[in-house]
């Protein structure tokens, strides 16, 4: 990773425009703002076209000779397949309501990062080849598909996290995420992926998860967490793996099995399931909740997602419980059943503890853990000691996908308020459906594009800083594995002293297990503040 | 010339409008909606103790329809209008409802003006229309009546135009056709006012002519004043141009998949008409790849020996 630029440098921009018209400026690929090109072997593993090693920094991108025809044919096909695409190409009135809603624009000031212009990058080509007016050329806002245009697409479609914030404000709901998704799919037709996406896709396809954990490594990683949990709680927890006949299959993003601070969230899950005596199992084959295929192409996303239902069927479980993740949940909520359903071999999810039937998941048969836990708490099934989180002053980041592609807003807040006493919302324009992205979503959480991530994460960080100054917030809670992976460096840079925690890490801290030892450590094996020092009343809060 | 302007052109314009709008809508509608992808702007319907925001996150078609009504009638999304500003090293978000306000003003006035124009083709003029005119003209400032919607129409458009030329960001994203559309509308409005305030049109004559057109017994309007002719020609241009321009958003908004669908694909399966099986890496193949390691780790196995994974691979999880 290159040396990080100074804060003063990164904030040297204005939310303006550029001197020259955008159609006449070539994209200049600045190091630090983009990811490495996809390696040939990773594309080959999944059979994506034009597999070869290439570098965006070089002049020659090693494209097939007929790349233009391939792209145009690809556009024609997708215009027939997606109403969203055809409509969004046609009905934008350039009202500009979306212009200052994108965190990439807000963090770079680059006008091509205004959602409307990001769309125009593709739309101008659409006009040229797919509309009559396109013959008027510039006058009609049309332009030829040249190599420079293609490179510009690549640069800017990988500066969009498919977060849908623009779509919330657009009077027609034009969703730049949808356009980016299709734009990236077109780029993939000629082998223009990034390796940060292609690598995890290949891993996930062959090994079952993005980070490429083999079955035995999954087990040993989890062993480590269970050892820590034993130290913390005095209890040995023994989850099962690939077990047939379990009632519930639990799937979480592999980031939770892999690195801090995701593992702490994962420990929270284990504690919860242990306390409930849940009949569940974890699969090493379907060991990924996330789906980098979605950042590649619709087909790739479907191929990776297929493992969830396939494994649920093979193991003969009744339903699927899903961990905390953002894009995973947009897909489970809006795509999975359509891609790989109907899941008629599963049953409508019923909480074995409370008896609640999750009618909202009666077809897809998959429940979000925040829904599951909120239901438990509503029915008073958990013994909680929120005072154990009293040293934490918490704010909550809605991840884009669960906010704008699902609407899971109050379940996590419900849980959060039960497990910690100090909770403060960020500014209204930056939460819930208007939440600001972490800036690293949709496969942009690499190291080589750190400048881009810091910039795109700045608007969110700015909102965190505000509540830090006002309320002394020191924890950014979230329900997304990508947030957990991507926020720590961004917070260290912009708002040092802010810890990033998954919701179920906080649940784990507060959860009172039957027969546990006196808890002196939190899930990070750090000393809990002594009871008499914190809240005066302390005691066993319920 | 008069015959062309007052008979041929109106018919041509209407044909262009009807054919154009039908074509555009058919074109949009003929591409399927493979996935149910509403942009959710509020709490989902999940658990009984968590209040769902059914208008912002519709759990069913009825609420999706209501959401669309809010969008079309009140410009709900524009109302979210906020503005981000960079002050030194911080970003400040403020509410900015100007665009919403003037856009709504313009669109609603246009609707009222359109309705008022119905008096030229309805004989006798229905009561509701008379009522509407009376309400619209309550600011009776002498004769002829000055309608508030006329003022609102032009105010709204002027705002939209000024905004486009004055704000650097807007200017930067605008296309020539964006100016054309708003200028054409302003010209239509001004020429319309001129027919009432400056060179008064002969209302009775116009009505006879208009009725002759709609009853398909066209008579040219012999005594058309230049002001009226200008207004007429501009309107005809607008109508003819409408479907082929960005103005067609009027039809497109109803089809927008991020707004007109319910967010319930976990409860009711959405079918993609072009869904097709795609290759997956099956469990059997996975077990073949890792059998020894899995055995050592104590994981249950389907088969002790290498199996032919290929056949199963196409079936795994796919229909
Ligand atoms: S808000 Fe919608 S219509 Fe307005 S410029 Fe953005 S994409 Fe176009
Ligand atoms: S989807 Fe998000 S990242 Fe992409 S253009 Fe819209 S606001 Fe920006």
């Amino acid at each position: 990773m290159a040396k990080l630029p100074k804060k003063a440098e990164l904030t040297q921009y204005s939310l303006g425009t550029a001197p020259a018209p955008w159609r006449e400026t070539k994209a200049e690929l600045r190091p630090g703002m983009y990811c490495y090109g996809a390696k040939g072997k990773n594309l080959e593993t999944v059979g994506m076209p034009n597999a070869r090693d290439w570098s965006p920094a070089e002049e020659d991108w090693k494209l097939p000779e007929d790349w233009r025809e391939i792209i145009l044919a690809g556009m024609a096909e997708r215009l027939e397949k997606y109403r969203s695409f055809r409509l969004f190409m046609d009905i934008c009135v350039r009202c500009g309501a979306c212009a200052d809603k994108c965190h990439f624009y807000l963090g770079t000031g680059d006008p091509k990062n205004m959602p409307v212009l990001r769309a125009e990058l593709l739309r101008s080509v659409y006009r040229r080849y797919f509309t009559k007016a396109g013959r008027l050329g510039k006058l009609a806002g049309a332009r030829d598909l040249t190599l420079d245009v293609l490179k510009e697409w690549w640069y800017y479609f990988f500066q969009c996290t498919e977060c849908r914030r623009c779509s919330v404000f657009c009077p027609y709901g034009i969703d730049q995420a949808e356009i980016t998704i299709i734009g990236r799919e077109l780029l993939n037709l000629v082998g223009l992926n990034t390796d940060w996406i292609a690598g995890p896709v290949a891993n996930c396809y062959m090994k079952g998860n993005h980070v490429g954990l083999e079955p035995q490594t999954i087990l040993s990683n989890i062993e480590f967490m269970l050892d820590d949990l034993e130290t913390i709680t005095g209890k040995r927890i023994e989850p099962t793996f690939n077990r047939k006949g379990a009632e519930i299959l639990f799937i979480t993003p592999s980031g939770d099995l892999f690195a801090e601070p995701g593992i702490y969230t994962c420990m929270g899950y284990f504690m919860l399931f242990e306390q409930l005596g849940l009949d569940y199992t974890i699969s090493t084959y379907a060991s990924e909740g996330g789906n980098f295929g979605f950042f590649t192409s619709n087909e790739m996303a479907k191929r990776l997602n297929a493992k969830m239902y396939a494994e649920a069927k093979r193991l003969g479980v009744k339903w699927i419980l899903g961990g905390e993740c953002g894009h995973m949940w947009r897909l489970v909520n809006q795509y999975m059943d359509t891609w790989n359903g109907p899941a008629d071999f599963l049953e409508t999810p019923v909480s074995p503890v409370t008896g609640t039937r999750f009618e909202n998941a009666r077809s897809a048969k998959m429940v979000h853990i925040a829904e599951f836990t909120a239901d438990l708490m509503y029915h008073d099934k958990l013994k909680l000691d929120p005072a154990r989180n009293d040293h934490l002053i918490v704010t909550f980041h809605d991840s884009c996908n669960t906010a704008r592609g699902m609407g899971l807003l109050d379940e996590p807040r419900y849980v959060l308020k039960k497990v910690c006493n100090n909770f403060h919302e960020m500014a209204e324009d930056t939460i819930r459906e208007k939440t600001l992205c972490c800036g690293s979503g949709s496969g942009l959480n690499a190291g080589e594009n750190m400048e881009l991530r810091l910039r795109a994460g700045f608007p969110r960080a700015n909102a965190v800083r505000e509540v830090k100054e006002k309320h002394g917030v020191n924890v950014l809670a979230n329900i997304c594995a990508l947030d957990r992976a991507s926020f720590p460096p961004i917070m260290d840079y912009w708002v040092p002293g802010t810890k990033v925690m998954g919701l179920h890490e906080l649940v784990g801290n507060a959860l009172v297990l039957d027969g546990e030892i006196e808890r002196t450590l939190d899930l990070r094996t750090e000393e809990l503040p002594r009871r008499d020092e914190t809240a005066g009343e302390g005691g066993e809060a319920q | 010339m008069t015959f062309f302007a007052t008979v041929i052109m109106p018919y041509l314009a209407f044909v262009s409008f009807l054919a154009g709008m039908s074509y555009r809508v058919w074109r949009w509608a003929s591409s399927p909606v493979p996935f149910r992808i509403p942009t959710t702007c509020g709490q989902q319907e999940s658990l009984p103790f968590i209040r769902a925001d059914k208008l912002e996150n519709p759990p069913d078609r009825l609420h999706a329809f209501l959401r669309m009504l809010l969008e079309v009638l009140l410009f709900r999304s524009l109302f979210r209008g906020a503005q981000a500003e960079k002050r030194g090293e911080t970003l400040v978000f403020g509410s900015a409802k100007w665009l919403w306000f003037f856009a709504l003003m313009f669109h609603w006035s246009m609707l009222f003006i359109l309705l008022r124009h119905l008096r030229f083709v309805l004989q006798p003029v229905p009561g509701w229309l008379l009522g509407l005119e009376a309400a619209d003209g309550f600011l009776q400032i002498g004769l002829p009546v000055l309608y508030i919607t006329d003022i609102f129409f032009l105010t709204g458009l002027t705002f939209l135009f000024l905004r486009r030329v004055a704000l650097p960001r807007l200017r930067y994203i605008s296309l020539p056709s964006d100016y054309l559309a708003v200028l054409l509308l302003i010209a239509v409005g001004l020429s319309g006012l001129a027919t009432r305030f400056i060179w008064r049109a002969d209302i009775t004559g116009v009505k006879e002519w208009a009725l002759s057109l709609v009853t398909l017994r066209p008579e040219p309007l012999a005594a058309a004043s230049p002001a009226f002719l200008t207004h007429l020609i501009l309107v005809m241009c607008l109508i003819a141009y409408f479907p082929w321009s960005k103005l067609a958003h009027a039809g497109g908004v109803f089809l927008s998949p991020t707004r007109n669908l319910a967010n319930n694909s976990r409860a009711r399966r959405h079918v993609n008409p072009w869904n097709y099986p795609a290759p997956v890496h099956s469990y059997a193949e996975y077990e073949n790849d890792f059998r020894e390691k899995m055995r050592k780790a104590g994981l249950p196995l389907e088969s002790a020996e290498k199996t032919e994974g290929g056949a199963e691979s196409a079936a795994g999880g796919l229909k």
Side-chain angles (χ1 to χ4, degrees):
Chain A
M1 197 196 305
K3 223 177 99 266
L4 294 182
K6 295 221 167 54
K7 273 188 212 172
E9 280 168 49
L10 285 199
T11 48
Q12 273 307 314
Y13 63 91
S14 72
L15 296 180
T17 57
W22 66 267
R23 254 174 260 105
E24 284 151 35
T25 47
K26 192 169 135 175
E28 174 212 344
L29 273 60
R30 263 193 328 108
M33 299 290 279
Y34 60 86
C35 296
Y36 302 137
K39 293 204 183 73
K41 68 172 175 38
N42 287 330
L43 293 187
E44 218 161 295
T45 304
V46 291
M48 297 293 289
N50 199 24
R52 83 261 173 248
D53 288 345
W54 67 288
S55 163
E58 270 158 40
E59 194 50 39
D60 180 11
W61 283 15
K62 303 188 190 161
L63 296 171
E65 214 151 279
D66 55 345
W67 65 267
R68 187 181 287 105
E69 287 69 42
I70 297 177
I71 298 268
L72 291 175
M75 275 179 83
E77 186 192 334
R78 281 156 189 83
L79 286 165
E80 296 300 329
K81 279 173 139 178
Y82 292 90
R83 183 176 303 167
S84 52
F85 186 36
R86 189 180 280 287
L87 196 74
F88 295 164
M89 287 295 103
D90 278 336
I91 62 170
C92 171
V93 296
R94 284 159 302 280
C95 70
C98 60
D100 57 352
K101 304 304 181 289
C102 176
H103 50 288
F104 283 97
Y105 180 64
L106 293 175
T108 62
D110 180 344
K112 284 181 191 168
N113 273 328
M114 295 192 256
V116 45
L117 276 199
R118 201 189 310 284
E120 290 283 318
L121 300 180
L122 187 54
R123 211 176 265 136
S124 52
V125 171
Y126 163 78
R127 290 200 193 95
R128 164 69 181 77
Y129 297 94
F130 299 94
T131 68
K132 299 255 160 30
R135 286 199 219 108
L136 298 174
K138 233 162 93 174
L139 210 58
R143 60 175 182 171
D144 289 337
L145 178 56
T146 61
L147 197 57
D148 283 341
V149 169
L150 189 76
K151 292 186 174 184
E152 189 181 44
W153 284 6
W154 187 82
Y155 191 56
Y156 287 103
F157 291 155
F158 288 97
Q159 289 193 32
C160 164
T161 42
E162 306 179 359
C163 79
R164 313 187 97 196
R165 190 166 192 264
C166 46
S167 160
V168 167
F169 294 89
C170 172
Y172 318 120
I174 294 176
D175 181 9
Q176 177 56 40
E178 188 76 359
I179 300 174
T180 295
I181 288 166
I182 288 172
R184 288 192 187 180
E185 196 164 312
L186 294 171
L187 291 166
N188 266 286
L189 293 176
V190 292
L192 294 181
N193 205 345
T194 72
D195 203 52
W196 192 260
I197 295 172
V201 165
N203 273 339
C204 191
Y205 193 68
M206 298 307 291
K207 299 184 178 168
N209 55 76
H210 291 152
V211 287
L213 303 174
E214 297 192 350
Q216 73 284 0
T217 320
I218 295 183
L219 266 58
S220 58
N221 279 10
I222 291 180
E223 251 344 270
F224 269 120
M225 297 184 217
L226 300 175
D227 291 346
D228 275 355
L229 277 178
E230 191 168 1
T231 314
I232 297 164
T233 67
K235 292 190 72 170
R236 186 72 202 176
I237 296 173
E238 280 168 359
T240 62
F241 298 89
N242 300 1
R243 174 166 64 90
K244 286 193 177 175
E247 181 181 356
I248 297 166
L249 171 63
F250 179 65
I251 301 180
T252 198
S254 60
D256 286 353
L257 309 175
F258 179 62
E260 294 172 5
I263 52 172
Y264 306 124
T265 308
C266 198
M267 287 157 70
Y269 304 147
F270 287 131
M271 290 172 70
L272 178 69
F273 300 159
E274 170 73 14
Q275 176 61 18
L276 299 172
L278 210 63
D279 178 16
Y280 75 107
T281 194
I282 296 165
S283 164
T284 59
Y285 166 67
S287 47
E288 181 58 69
N291 191 332
F292 272 38
F294 193 62
F295 313 138
T296 304
S297 71
N298 170 62
E299 181 180 298
M300 201 60 240
K302 173 183 152 122
R303 289 168 67 188
L304 297 185
N305 175 268
K307 291 183 189 183
M308 293 198 189
Y309 279 155
E311 187 68 341
K313 191 172 185 179
R314 185 182 76 88
L315 297 176
V317 300
K318 289 191 180 150
W319 56 279
I320 311 174
L321 181 62
E324 297 177 14
C325 180
H327 73 281
M328 157 183 177
W329 273 97
R330 168 146 199 236
L331 302 191
V332 169
N333 186 48
Q334 300 195 326
Y335 291 82
M336 178 164 76
D337 201 4
T338 303
W339 278 329
N340 295 312
D344 40 20
F345 45 88
L346 297 175
E347 293 172 14
T348 299
V350 174
S351 168
V353 187
T354 64
T356 301
R357 271 172 72 87
F358 292 92
E359 288 293 344
N360 64 329
R362 63 181 177 272
S363 177
K365 319 280 199 310
M366 186 152 173
V367 172
H368 192 290
I369 188 142
E371 297 170 333
F372 181 74
T373 306
D375 174 63
L376 293 170
M377 291 178 169
Y378 178 74
H379 289 99
D380 239 343
K381 297 290 183 193
L382 299 175
K383 211 167 151 194
L384 300 167
D385 180 4
R388 287 183 197 157
N389 284 323
D390 270 356
H391 56 310
L392 309 177
I393 304 170
V394 182
T395 193
F396 181 68
H397 164 77
D398 290 278
S399 76
C400 308
N401 282 289
T402 45
R404 291 183 281 259
M406 188 175 183
L408 183 94
L409 305 169
D410 285 325
E411 295 89 343
R413 285 176 169 79
Y414 186 88
V415 173
L416 209 52
K417 287 176 190 162
K418 295 264 179 189
V419 298
C420 54
N421 292 321
N422 312 311
F423 169 62
H424 302 278
E425 292 277 14
M426 285 179 272
E428 199 204 322
D429 280 299
T430 71
I431 55 168
R432 301 177 74 91
E433 75 278 5
K434 294 182 206 146
T435 186
L436 285 161
C437 185
C438 64
S440 307
S442 80
L444 303 188
N445 54 326
E448 65 269 22
N449 62 340
M450 193 44 96
E451 181 182 339
L452 176 73
R453 292 177 50 198
L454 290 173
R455 285 177 176 279
F458 171 65
R460 172 40 89 216
N462 181 72
V464 176
R465 188 170 57 194
E466 241 175 67
V467 281
K468 185 181 195 75
E469 282 163 7
K470 233 203 244 148
H471 306 288
V473 161
N474 57 14
V475 170
L476 181 60
N478 59 75
I479 44 165
C480 174
L482 242 150
D483 286 335
R484 293 190 280 275
S486 70
F487 266 135
I490 292 170
M491 287 298 131
D492 282 349
Y493 186 87
W494 293 114
V495 208
T498 314
K499 286 186 188 164
V500 178
M501 294 188 178
L503 180 65
H504 278 78
E505 178 181 349
L506 292 157
V507 171
N509 278 340
L511 185 65
V512 180
L513 298 181
D514 293 340
E516 67 180 8
I517 55 172
E518 193 198 335
R519 297 268 288 271
T520 55
L521 300 172
D522 67 8
L523 296 196
R524 302 189 175 198
T525 54
E526 286 164 15
E527 290 282 328
L528 283 174
R530 293 256 315 279
R531 198 41 63 91
D532 41 32
E533 281 170 18
T534 52
E537 70 277 22
E540 286 300 292
Q542 278 292 316
Chain B
M1 172 61 198
T2 334
F3 185 75
F4 180 76
T6 62
V7 176
I8 311 248
M9 260 196 58
Y11 281 124
L12 282 181
F14 268 97
V15 169
S16 165
F17 181 83
L18 288 180
M21 270 330 264
S22 331
Y23 172 76
R24 293 300 292 267
V25 170
W26 168 78
R27 204 58 187 155
W28 292 322
S30 63
S31 298
V33 181
F35 304 103
R36 208 180 281 155
I37 52 162
T39 305
T40 57
C41 298
Q43 172 59 40
Q44 65 169 351
E45 183 176 59
S46 59
L47 297 159
F49 57 92
I50 287 184
R51 238 194 66 182
D53 189 347
K54 297 189 184 182
L55 283 176
E56 302 285 20
N57 189 342
D60 48 40
R61 288 214 197 129
L62 171 68
H63 286 90
F65 174 77
L66 294 175
R67 183 188 199 194
M68 183 49 83
L69 278 189
L70 274 188
E71 202 61 83
V72 175
L73 299 180
L74 296 176
F75 298 0
R76 174 68 188 97
S77 291
L78 267 192
F79 187 67
R80 288 196 183 89
Q83 199 175 319
E85 246 182 85
K86 187 162 173 289
R87 295 206 195 124
E89 297 200 351
T90 56
L91 288 170
V92 185
F93 295 88
S95 130
K97 313 265 186 248
W98 294 108
L99 176 60
W100 170 80
F101 182 77
F102 285 103
L104 198 67
M105 175 189 267
F106 151 63
H107 280 86
W108 271 100
S109 325
M110 184 156 92
L111 175 69
F112 276 94
I113 293 173
L114 261 174
L115 290 176
R116 276 202 275 108
H117 278 69
L118 284 180
R119 75 144 44 242
F120 292 108
V121 293
L122 295 178
Q123 181 70 319
V125 179
W128 62 264
L129 189 45
L130 292 173
L132 186 141
E133 279 179 351
D136 198 353
F138 83 97
L139 275 183
Q140 178 127 18
I141 308 174
L143 269 176
V145 179
L146 178 62
Y147 292 109
I148 9 176
T149 48
D150 288 350
I151 304 175
F152 285 171
F153 180 81
L154 285 168
T155 315
L157 282 169
T158 310
F159 173 83
L160 292 180
F161 178 74
L162 289 180
R163 188 175 167 269
R164 209 172 267 290
V165 289
L167 297 184
R169 272 208 294 263
L170 256 282
R171 213 164 47 227
Y172 197 69
I173 62 175
S174 294
L175 294 175
S177 60
D178 297 327
Y179 297 104
L180 180 67
V182 67
L183 288 176
L184 186 56
L185 280 161
I186 290 179
V188 164
L190 288 177
S191 62
L193 280 186
T195 61
R196 234 168 335 113
F197 288 97
I198 310 182
W199 302 282
R200 299 213 54 192
D202 156 26
I203 303 285
T204 339
V206 169
K207 179 150 190 177
E208 273 168 22
W209 158 79
L211 277 172
S212 81
L213 289 187
V214 293
T215 51
L216 300 180
R217 282 184 299 256
E219 300 272 351
L221 180 62
S225 69
F228 180 80
L229 269 185
T230 316
H231 184 56
L232 179 70
I233 290 173
L234 286 170
V235 170
M236 292 311 140
C237 289
L238 179 70
I239 292 177
Y241 175 61
F242 194 95
W244 313 103
S245 68
K246 70 171 205 174
L247 302 173
H249 69 260
V253 55
F254 294 96
L255 290 157
S256 182
T258 61
R259 288 290 185 274
N260 70 5
L261 294 168
N263 174 41
N264 61 355
S265 23
R266 254 195 309 159
R268 291 187 39 191
R269 182 163 185 259
H270 178 84
V271 177
N272 171 4
W274 49 260
N275 196 23
Y276 56 91
V280 300
H281 191 68
S282 71
Y283 176 79
E285 288 169 302
Y286 172 85
E287 196 178 289
N288 281 342
D289 294 346
F290 296 108
R291 181 162 292 104
E292 271 324 299
K293 291 171 172 172
M294 290 173 78
R295 197 196 317 270
K296 263 204 214 134
L299 286 167
L301 294 171
E302 289 277 341
S303 152
E305 305 275 303
K306 186 169 168 44
T307 53
E308 282 310 311
E312 237 187 279
S313 110
L318 294 169
K319 304 272 151 181

